[in-house]
Amino acid sequence: MTSLKRAHTADGQAANISSKIFVRSTRSGKVQKIVREIYLRQDIPCSSQLCSVCAPHAPTNAEGHAIPFVLSAKPAGTSAFPHGHYLVPDTNALLNGLDLFEQTTAFYDVIILQTVLEELRNRSLPLYNRLIGLTRSAEKRFYVFFNEFRLETYVVRTVAESINDRNDRAVRRAVQWYAEHLAHTRTGTAAGARREKPSAAAAVVPAVVMLSNDRENVRKARGSGLKACSLEEYVSGLADGDRLLDMINAGDPARDLKGSLSQVLYPEYLSASKLSTGRRAGTLHQGIFNVSPYNYLEGSVPVPAFAKPLLILGRENINRAVQGDVVVVEVLAQEHWKRPSSQIIEQDAVNGDDNPEPDAAESVISERERRVLQEAAKRAQADGGSGPAQPTARVVGVTKRNWRPYVGHVDPASVGSAAAAASRMPQTVFLIPMDTRIPKIRLRTRQAGALVGKRIVATIDGWGRESRYPTGHFVRALGALESRAAETEALLLEHDVQYRPFPRAVLDCLPAEGHAWTVAAAGAGGRADLRALAICSIDPVGCVDIDDALHARPLANGHWEVGVHIADVSHFVRAHSAMDGEARSRATTVYLVDKRIDMLPTLLGTDLCSLKAGVDRFAFSALWEMDDDAAVVGCRFTKSVIRSRHAFSYEQAQQRIDDDGQQDAVTQAMRVLLRLSRRLRARRMAAGALDLASPEVRIQLASETEEPVALATKTALATHSLVEEFMLLANIAVAGRIVRAYPRTALLRRHPAPPAANFEALAAQLRVRRCLTLDARSSAALAASLDACRDPAEPVFNTIVRILATRCMTSAEYFAAASHAPAEYRHYGLATEIYTHFTSPIRRYADLVVHRQLARALLEEKEEDDTAGGGGKGGDGDGDDGGDGGAGESQASIESACINLNVRHRNAQLAGRASVEHHVGQVIRARRRQRHPHPPPDPRDDDGDPTDHGADADAEAQGEVHDAFLIKIFANGVVGYVPALGIEAVVKFAPKEVRRWEEEEFVLVVLVDGEEEAVVKVEKSGEKSREKSGEKKGQGEGRERRLELFAKVTVCVWDEKELRTGKRRVRMKVVW
């Protein structure tokens, strides 16, 4: 496409040049006026396959071929538009109904105007990104039309016109132009030419329909003779209109009832200007809001100005903040500071009978009840002794909402009568999110009856001051509760894991040869040929995406050559390609118990890149010369070709090393590697590296059904440490190399030292209960303390302390080198001054970027040596440079990538843990059914789930016994950890069962008087339960039982489907 240029001799093109004037304030406070000229064009195509006029202006691809137009020649029709139609939504329509446009049953052939796209980006970046995804989908046929650069569709803002009105007028003008343009195209006349008589062809031109929920915009469009309608009007005419109507933004139903409600429930947020002024003055603070996993009325906001997070207590102070929101808080006067909650307070126990309808009859939203809830939270603070109060604050504004699609189910108690549910009339119901930190969401739906018993997705639309709960709308149903497909998809959605199939543009980047691709056919180029070396890989059982392999061989001088060989993914994934963009977005492979969500297409991840045994593969190799004490004498990097001799599991490798009868080259190399790795580890530990822990169990799946059938705790083997040490060595070496080459853009990984305050609680607990000292002044001191925290009678005690210490840590993070001073590069946990990720490019995008940076650095070094006549070092930098995608990226681009990498990495960890917790419950259920194959039906379980095989009324009596350790003590409950299952549980006691709480001694004394002591519901680590048992054991005198922190207790464990949330969770009771 060409631009119309300014005429040099005359003013003939002046009409094709326009100006945009921007006024902005600089950092110094001055006002700056910016004038930009816009060259208006007439060659921007409409992209309709019906149009022949725009065909000569079609854009071309890299080969010079015309790119096919997007909009179909035969768009779908409706009852209102029988001859087909194109849709042109305005910004309002997308803000209120983007979920509709993502449906596969409707909303095809959509024209996205440049005006709308830019306005949406300013209003909601998440929605903008979702819309961009739709424009890249060949199936949906969304076309971005640059109306702001087309001469006929550009509009000038008038003096008295607001920006919003100008943009609305631009949308109407574009709709008008499309309608006229397509009509003239079908008759063969140019736009603007005089037509004597309409032809029959014009009658079959698809309608161009503007969609808007702005009534005034629709009125003006219709007044101009354009086809326009609201989302509700359009959706009502579709075949599945009832379902789609539920997806429209519900707004705030309570807003219209403001006059009838007795009062507003929440304080008004401060204005943006007051928030900004307060933050600059230091009177207000900004941070991320987090909800306590034990008390839904307590939250916290970490801010730089305070060593500990600010406490937020009570609904009024939380003020409509939702987990993950970026909030602005005001610190209360010191006399109002409180202590963290000592009580377990459950949302359902307090407001389980709330009315879903937000009207004047909603008596639960009253001043009395609101104060009762706040007083209950405050009493929980006062019950706990004389500990120091913590800075306490209230939310005065929300600068960024973290609202996302939430997975949950419709509360059956909130649905009306069976007749009402079946009537398809709109009614308000409660969605109970799977994430218990999220409040219930009011949904307006016409299909309440059909949604009961299903996992569904909903979003929050708003949360007004007059409503106790946020309002939202239904997005889609995932399937029946507890069905395997629905629960897996729910888990992925809850942790924002991108699991959609790879789009066609990404698959087109794969080698055309597919699985037949070979190194021989591709050519090794200048790569080092290392295929003669005794290379092997060591990975978990069943691993198919093999990133790394190793070798060791003796050198003539008595030293050892050690090699770490990493899959050369950058050879296949070129920078800035569609595949690179997809990998950058996904950031990491996500491993669930029964599923793997790949970062790269399977052809690459499990075949062409994977360092499988017996086949030639491209690699990026790090080679060291070491002495017998594992001291590094020299190091070099090279692109290479390798052929792995064997792909071992950790267990297989350990068996080979331990078998004295095995003396082959690979086994002998592994023994050398193991000996050297022990020396490397000893030096790391001496430098202060931490040996932390997390709950780990391995779940075995049935080979045919892939159902979970057994549990096993993971056993630490020497081969685990072997691989770990050399991967760490490679990562450290590469980090030093790339930061020398690119001191601003090198992608590194740091682990900030945790504040000493993070360890205060754990240190006090160990001191009081076990007379042990926890010194967190440095990583070396902490490591020594952790080594000393042992109980000869209970070896697992040290593991539990390490698990708790891990939770006191800050999170490691990716960053661009220039983002921090070199002194802040340090990785606290590994006790190294610099670190990055290089060794797993198949499953981590950060490693892929680092590969490119290293390749480019080596190439530049070689070019400099060649220029200076030095020739360069053998093998260094040979081969391609991975598309120059590392060093060529700006600091801003690397920093942006790091933000996504950090979020995706964290989400992948949480998703993996949630998958394990879910499957632990399934294993216990399977074992119970194996012991008791014909359970009696449970009259409480009437959801018709065919997987239930009856119900589990006798599940408690069929439970299994385990040891548990108490890791947290509350005033009304305890948290237990079961090592054999790798799960945690919250035990809550009724007030009559609690005799006393010795807070400073970390002891809870409960009264046992003939009833079962407690029932525990196991949820995500650290989340709460809400029931206790009442099964009589007989009459007898009450007796006290002491529950002490770190004590071992015996528990009975079983599975049960939670009636209110629809989750199947592990439950257990303390056995006295």
Side-chain angles (χ1 to χ4, degrees):
M1 294 187 288
T2 58
S3 298
L4 297 175
K5 304 296 185 181
R6 182 194 298 272
H8 291 284
T9 59
D11 198 33
Q13 297 289 345
N16 296 341
I17 302 173
S18 183
S19 297
K20 278 190 175 182
I21 300 175
F22 304 89
V23 178
R24 69 179 183 184
S25 60
T26 64
R27 291 184 177 179
S28 61
K30 296 181 179 179
V31 176
Q32 188 177 51
K33 182 179 180 181
I34 302 173
V35 179
R36 292 180 182 169
E37 285 191 337
I38 301 174
Y39 293 87
L40 302 177
R41 309 160 56 159
Q42 293 179 296
D43 58 353
I44 298 176
C46 67
S47 201
S48 170
Q49 296 175 12
L50 289 170
C51 180
S52 58
V53 173
C54 292
H57 306 306
T60 58
N61 57 24
E63 288 76 27
H65 302 141
I67 298 176
F69 280 176
V70 174
L71 303 175
S72 173
K74 296 181 179 180
T78 66
S79 57
F81 310 109
H83 299 299
H85 63 294
Y86 297 143
L87 294 175
V88 185
D90 70 356
T91 309
N92 186 286
L94 294 173
L95 287 170
N96 287 279
L98 187 59
D99 294 317
L100 292 168
F101 291 85
E102 294 174 325
Q103 295 302 299
T104 58
T105 58
F107 292 89
Y108 289 82
D109 296 297
V110 180
I111 301 164
I112 302 297
L113 301 179
Q114 177 190 359
T115 303
V116 172
L117 192 64
E118 292 177 351
E119 192 173 8
L120 186 66
R121 181 175 56 186
N122 294 330
R123 297 282 298 276
S124 174
L125 190 58
L127 293 182
Y128 168 82
N129 290 331
R130 288 167 59 188
L131 182 59
I132 289 296
L134 287 173
T135 64
R136 293 173 178 168
S137 169
E139 294 79 12
K140 289 294 289 182
R141 301 190 297 275
F142 277 51
Y143 173 61
V144 178
F145 177 64
F146 290 89
N147 62 303
E148 297 289 355
F149 296 112
R150 176 96 193 191
L151 179 64
E152 299 90 339
T153 57
Y154 179 78
V155 299
V156 179
R157 181 183 173 190
T158 61
V159 176
E161 192 174 35
S162 69
I163 294 177
N164 184 66
D165 289 343
R166 182 265 172 199
N167 289 344
D168 286 346
R169 186 160 58 88
V171 173
R172 297 194 298 271
R173 179 70 191 95
V175 172
Q176 181 182 8
W177 177 82
Y178 254 98
E180 294 174 351
H181 176 77
L182 292 176
H184 291 307
T185 295
R186 296 306 300 269
T187 59
T189 59
R194 182 179 180 83
R195 294 173 60 216
E196 299 297 332
K197 183 185 300 183
S199 66
V204 295
V205 172
V208 181
V209 183
M210 186 188 83
L211 291 182
S212 175
N213 267 17
D214 185 333
R215 295 178 182 177
E216 184 63 13
N217 199 17
V218 172
R219 185 190 66 79
K220 290 181 178 179
R222 289 172 175 171
S224 300
L226 304 177
K227 293 180 173 60
C229 54
S230 68
L231 285 173
E232 291 85 350
E233 292 170 338
Y234 178 76
V235 169
S236 296
L238 300 178
D240 55 347
D242 282 352
R243 180 181 67 87
L244 296 178
L245 280 171
D246 284 353
M247 299 183 188
I248 300 174
N249 189 324
D252 188 358
R255 192 172 299 153
D256 298 332
L257 301 169
K258 185 183 255 185
S260 62
L261 291 174
S262 59
Q263 61 182 343
V264 294
L265 300 179
Y266 298 103
E268 187 176 4
Y269 291 146
L270 298 182
S271 65
S273 61
K274 289 183 178 179
L275 294 176
S276 178
T277 301
R279 291 200 303 271
R280 288 198 299 267
T283 58
L284 301 179
H285 306 272
Q286 180 171 293
I288 298 176
F289 177 72
N290 296 297
V291 179
S292 167
Y294 305 109
N295 180 355
Y296 79 102
L297 292 174
E298 176 183 306
S300 63
V301 179
V303 298
F306 291 85
K308 290 185 177 181
L310 300 176
L311 282 179
I312 314 292
L313 299 174
R315 281 185 178 275
E316 188 172 8
N317 288 335
I318 291 175
N319 196 8
R320 295 166 288 159
V322 174
Q323 170 68 28
D325 284 351
V326 179
V327 299
V328 178
V329 298
E330 178 184 38
V331 180
L332 302 179
Q334 191 164 355
E335 58 267 24
H336 297 296
W337 290 6
K338 303 295 181 182
R339 302 174 61 257
S341 175
S342 60
Q343 300 274 341
I344 300 171
I345 300 181
E346 302 158 327
Q347 185 171 182
D348 288 341
V350 178
N351 52 34
D353 297 326
D354 282 354
N355 180 8
E357 293 290 347
D359 55 27
E362 191 175 24
S363 59
V364 291
I365 301 181
S366 64
E367 182 66 17
R368 182 189 61 81
E369 184 179 15
R370 184 168 62 88
R371 288 181 176 175
V372 165
L373 293 175
Q374 291 181 352
E375 287 302 318
K378 293 177 182 177
R379 282 196 302 272
Q381 315 294 320
D383 287 341
S386 57
Q390 194 166 319
T392 307
R394 65 187 183 98
V395 174
V396 296
V398 178
T399 58
K400 184 180 179 182
R401 286 292 190 185
N402 191 44
W403 294 348
R404 58 177 175 81
Y406 295 104
V407 181
H409 79 289
V410 172
D411 183 359
S414 69
V415 179
S417 64
S423 67
R424 310 293 289 184
M425 293 296 292
Q427 62 175 299
T428 303
V429 298
F430 276 130
L431 174 87
I432 302 178
M434 290 178 64
D435 188 342
T436 58
R437 299 169 300 177
I438 306 301
K440 293 188 289 189
I441 303 171
R442 284 190 166 105
L443 303 181
R444 192 75 174 164
T445 177
R446 295 163 178 78
Q447 44 186 333
L451 296 180
V452 172
K454 292 184 178 179
R455 280 271 176 251
I456 68 171
V457 182
T459 61
I460 294 178
D461 298 327
W463 194 347
R465 298 171 61 201
E466 301 80 15
S467 175
R468 185 175 185 181
Y469 296 104
T471 57
H473 66 270
F474 164 80
V475 176
R476 63 190 177 100
L478 303 179
L481 291 172
E482 283 208 282
S483 65
R484 183 175 174 183
E487 297 298 338
T488 299
E489 189 173 6
L491 186 151
L492 296 173
L493 286 169
E494 273 297 286
H495 296 93
D496 194 22
V497 175
Q498 298 184 19
Y499 61 96
R500 65 184 184 278
F502 288 101
R504 172 53 54 188
V506 171
L507 300 179
D508 288 343
C509 297
L510 294 170
E513 303 89 341
H515 292 284
W517 179 93
T518 62
V519 166
R527 293 173 178 267
D529 189 347
L530 306 181
R531 286 174 284 190
L533 299 178
I535 297 173
C536 67
S537 62
I538 307 175
D539 292 282
V541 174
C543 179
V544 292
D545 49 346
I546 303 174
D547 286 287
D548 55 86
L550 305 100
H551 89 274
R553 65 173 177 174
L555 298 176
N557 61 359
H559 290 172
W560 298 96
E561 179 189 81
V562 174
V564 169
H565 312 279
I566 307 301
D568 188 6
V569 176
S570 64
H571 175 83
F572 298 95
V573 183
R574 294 293 170 166
H576 313 304
S577 65
M579 186 182 298
D580 182 59
E582 184 72 13
R584 188 185 188 100
S585 177
R586 295 188 180 215
T588 181
T589 294
V590 180
Y591 294 91
L592 307 181
V593 170
D594 59 343
K595 192 171 187 177
R596 187 184 68 246
I597 312 300
D598 291 316
M599 183 184 79
L600 297 173
T602 303
L603 175 63
L604 295 185
T606 64
D607 189 1
L608 305 189
C609 292
S610 182
L611 304 182
K612 301 190 297 184
V615 294
D616 295 348
R617 286 292 178 256
F618 286 155
F620 209 152
S621 299
L623 303 169
W624 295 272
E625 181 182 343
M626 291 182 174
D627 62 19
D628 273 336
D629 197 38
V632 175
V633 177
C635 174
R636 66 189 182 97
F637 307 98
T638 183
K639 292 290 188 81
S640 61
V641 180
I642 69 168
R643 180 183 298 156
S644 174
R645 301 277 185 90
H646 206 296
F648 292 106
S649 68
Y650 286 110
E651 293 77 8
Q652 290 172 337
Q654 190 68 56
Q655 290 172 0
R656 287 283 287 266
I657 291 172
D658 295 340
D659 185 355
D660 293 336
Q662 298 285 347
Q663 297 297 326
D664 58 280
V666 171
T667 304
Q668 291 184 24
M670 287 195 295
R671 290 176 181 141
V672 172
L673 291 169
L674 179 58
R675 187 174 70 251
L676 294 174
S677 71
R678 285 171 173 161
R679 289 172 170 78
L680 290 172
R681 179 176 175 81
R683 280 203 290 271
R684 275 201 316 112
M685 294 296 111
L690 298 174
D691 185 11
L692 300 175
S694 59
E696 289 191 350
V697 293
R698 187 172 61 216
I699 297 174
Q700 298 175 5
L701 304 177
S703 57
E704 295 183 0
T705 64
E706 294 191 348
E707 292 292 332
V709 293
L711 293 174
T713 55
K714 294 183 179 179
T715 303
L717 301 173
T719 47
H720 288 117
S721 180
L722 183 160
V723 174
E724 178 186 18
E725 292 304 322
F726 285 106
M727 296 307 111
L728 293 175
L729 184 66
N731 289 335
I732 294 169
V734 170
R737 184 63 185 83
I738 63 174
V739 82
R740 290 198 303 271
Y742 308 112
R744 298 194 63 81
T745 58
L747 194 157
L748 304 175
R749 187 165 175 82
R750 64 191 288 263
H751 182 201
N758 288 17
F759 293 94
E760 289 178 358
L762 180 58
Q765 293 164 0
L766 290 169
R767 182 177 63 252
V768 171
R769 295 308 321 160
R770 294 298 182 103
C771 298
L772 297 170
T773 300
L774 188 69
D775 185 351
R777 289 176 296 177
S778 68
S779 61
L782 180 60
S785 297
L786 292 175
D787 288 341
C789 290
R790 298 186 180 277
D791 183 345
E794 296 293 347
V796 73
F797 172 72
N798 183 258
T799 301
I800 292 172
V801 173
R802 293 181 187 275
I803 291 173
L804 298 177
T806 302
R807 297 173 185 178
C808 300
M809 297 288 176
T810 54
S811 297
E813 62 182 13
Y814 296 105
F815 69 102
S819 302
H820 295 276
E824 298 176 343
Y825 291 178
R826 181 175 173 80
H827 195 292
Y828 179 85
L830 298 176
T832 180
E833 299 304 318
I834 193 168
Y835 192 67
T836 192
H837 274 161
F838 166 77
T839 55
S840 298
I842 293 178
R843 60 184 180 91
R844 289 191 306 232
Y845 185 77
D847 303 56
L848 179 55
V849 174
V850 169
H851 274 231
R852 291 170 178 160
Q853 292 184 334
L854 179 61
R856 187 62 182 172
L858 297 176
L859 182 62
E860 289 174 353
E861 181 184 78
K862 184 175 185 297
E863 290 172 348
E864 290 175 2
D865 290 343
D866 291 344
T867 301
K873 300 176 182 178
D876 281 15
D878 289 343
D880 62 75
D881 65 356
D884 191 19
E889 286 198 67
S890 66
Q891 180 183 339
S893 177
I894 294 294
E895 288 175 346
S896 175
C898 287
I899 293 173
N900 183 62
L901 290 171
N902 291 327
V903 171
R904 296 293 179 189
H905 179 76
R906 178 63 174 165
N907 288 351
Q909 289 181 319
L910 295 176
R913 293 171 190 170
S915 178
V916 170
E917 290 168 355
H918 170 74
H919 283 84
V920 166
Q922 298 299 316
V923 169
I924 292 176
R925 181 189 194 188
R927 293 198 302 214
R928 177 174 57 81
R929 287 182 171 172
Q930 187 175 15
R931 295 191 303 269
H932 306 276
H934 301 294
D938 186 348
R940 302 173 302 167
D941 193 356
D942 59 354
D943 63 1
D945 182 1
T947 68
D948 273 352
H949 308 296
D952 307 325
D954 289 344
E956 178 181 347
Q958 301 166 0
E960 51 193 60
V961 176
H962 291 278
D963 289 334
F965 291 82
L966 302 183
I967 60 173
K968 198 171 183 64
I969 304 290
F970 289 97
N972 63 341
V974 297
V975 179
Y977 169 64
V978 184
L981 302 178
I983 56 175
E984 293 179 19
V986 178
V987 187
K988 185 182 177 184
F989 298 96
K992 66 179 182 179
E993 296 173 309
V994 177
R995 190 60 173 264
R996 63 182 177 275
W997 178 43
E998 301 172 5
E999 181 186 15
E1000 295 181 358
E1001 296 298 319
F1002 305 103
V1003 173
L1004 179 66
V1005 181
V1006 296
L1007 189 64
V1008 183
D1009 61 352
E1011 293 187 356
E1012 292 281 278
E1013 182 53 34
V1015 174
V1016 183
K1017 180 185 70 177
V1018 178
E1019 299 188 6
K1020 296 178 182 178
S1021 295
E1023 293 186 1
K1024 53 188 178 294
S1025 70
R1026 62 175 191 150
E1027 294 183 30
K1028 67 181 186 66
S1029 74
E1031 182 183 346
K1032 294 290 183 180
K1033 297 173 67 176
Q1035 300 298 322
E1037 296 293 330
R1039 60 192 187 278
E1040 292 183 355
R1041 294 285 189 177
R1042 291 173 59 85
L1043 297 173
E1044 301 176 353
L1045 190 66
F1046 303 132
K1048 182 169 74 172
V1049 297
T1050 303
V1051 295
C1052 179
V1053 179
W1054 72 96
D1055 69 288
E1056 183 175 281
K1057 182 175 180 179
E1058 189 178 63
L1059 300 181
R1060 187 161 185 82
T1061 66
K1063 300 176 183 178
R1064 181 164 295 276
R1065 294 298 191 191
V1066 174
R1067 297 179 61 127
M1068 61 187 177
K1069 65 182 179 182
V1070 178
V1071 179
W1072 301 103

